[in-house]
């Protein structure tokens, strides 16, 4: 049976009574912004034997927008050995409700957003240069379009791999790979 949704205010009430909030996002997303007191357990690691869930009586799962949690309801229900819910609207709804959020602006943007910004900028630049300077420069947006198709088909994104090697990401990945306060191994 899929998990029921909770509004941010209902979730906050359950948290006050001892429920545990599980953030299922990736480490880079959690490092930049998370709900204070939440425990970081990426979706692939959610399991009833995980230290974050082992002694829980009530679990509340969340992601950024609620989409990942919603799409994973059945999987999360199967991996929960106690009463469990998903936070309706995720972290975004939590913020809209005016509830507290821990932010670390020193952390880089999430890798997915970095890829979107870099690829979007290069596609836009290549298109503008292709129209104004030389049609041959339209090869730039074509290259990135083909790269996105390849990434979608294979799961390998060369641009993401390249961005991971950038100095701002190497530093943050080393930090975010260690358990942080509130995160469990």
């Amino acid at each position: 049976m899929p998990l029921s949704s909770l509004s941010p205010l209902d979730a906050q009430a359950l948290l006050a009574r001892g429920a545990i909030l599980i953030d299922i996002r990736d480490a880079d997303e959690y490092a930049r912004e998370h709900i204070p007191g939440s425990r970081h357990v990426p979706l692939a690691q959610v399991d009833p034997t995980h230290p974050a869930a082992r002694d829980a009586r009530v679990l509340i799962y969340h992601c950024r927008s609620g989409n990942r949690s919603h799409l994973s309801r059945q999987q999360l229900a199967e991996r929960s050995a106690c009463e469990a819910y998903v936070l309706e609207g995720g972290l975004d709804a939590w913020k809209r409700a005016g509830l507290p959020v821990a932010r670390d602006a020193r952390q880089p943007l999430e890798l997915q957003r970095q890829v979107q910004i870099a690829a979007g900028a290069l596609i836009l630049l290549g298109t503008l240069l292709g129209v104004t300077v030389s049609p041959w420069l339209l090869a730039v947006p074509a290259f990135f379009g083909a790269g996105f198709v390849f990434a979608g088909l294979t799961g390998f994104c060369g641009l993401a791999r390249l961005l991971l090697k950038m100095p701002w990401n190497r530093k943050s990945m080393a930090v975010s790979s260690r358990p942080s306060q509130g995160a469990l191994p």
Side-chain angles (χ1 to χ4, degrees):
M1 172 182 228
L3 305 179
S4 298
S5 295
L6 286 177
S7 72
L9 295 176
D10 290 338
Q12 186 183 39
L14 271 180
L15 291 170
R17 292 191 304 241
I20 296 175
L21 185 62
I22 305 288
D23 189 325
I24 64 169
R25 300 174 301 147
D26 291 335
D28 59 339
E29 296 173 279
Y30 182 86
R32 186 160 174 91
E33 181 177 53
H34 61 272
I35 297 171
S38 64
R39 298 181 185 185
H40 179 240
V41 182
L43 180 59
Q45 295 175 12
V46 170
D47 184 285
T49 62
H50 192 283
R54 196 174 322 152
D55 299 323
R57 291 190 314 202
V58 178
L59 292 172
I60 304 168
Y61 297 103
H62 83 89
C63 60
R64 185 186 53 81
S65 67
N67 192 43
R68 270 179 278 189
S69 301
H70 179 75
L71 293 173
S72 304
R73 283 174 172 224
Q74 187 63 40
Q75 177 184 358
L76 291 169
E78 291 168 0
R79 294 180 180 183
S80 300
C82 63
E83 183 180 353
Y85 301 91
V86 293
L87 178 62
E88 186 176 302
L91 178 64
D92 292 345
W94 185 270
K95 291 189 293 189
R96 282 192 305 273
L99 298 171
V101 175
R103 290 183 179 92
D104 185 354
R106 295 172 297 161
Q107 295 294 326
L109 290 173
E110 298 86 20
L111 186 60
Q112 178 181 343
R113 288 182 60 198
Q114 290 181 45
V115 168
Q116 291 168 338
I117 291 167
L122 290 167
I123 289 169
L124 180 61
L125 179 64
T127 302
L128 291 174
L129 291 174
V131 170
T132 59
V133 176
S134 168
W136 286 101
L137 291 172
L138 290 172
V140 172
F143 174 79
F144 282 96
F148 278 136
V149 171
F150 181 78
L153 292 173
T154 65
F156 175 83
C157 180
L159 184 55
R161 298 277 174 110
L162 178 65
L163 286 169
L164 275 175
K165 294 180 187 291
M166 295 294 117
W168 61 86
N169 284 327
R170 281 187 283 159
K171 179 180 150 202
S172 72
M173 288 300 134
V175 170
S176 67
S177 66
R178 288 182 275 158
S180 62
Q181 190 173 19
L184 296 175

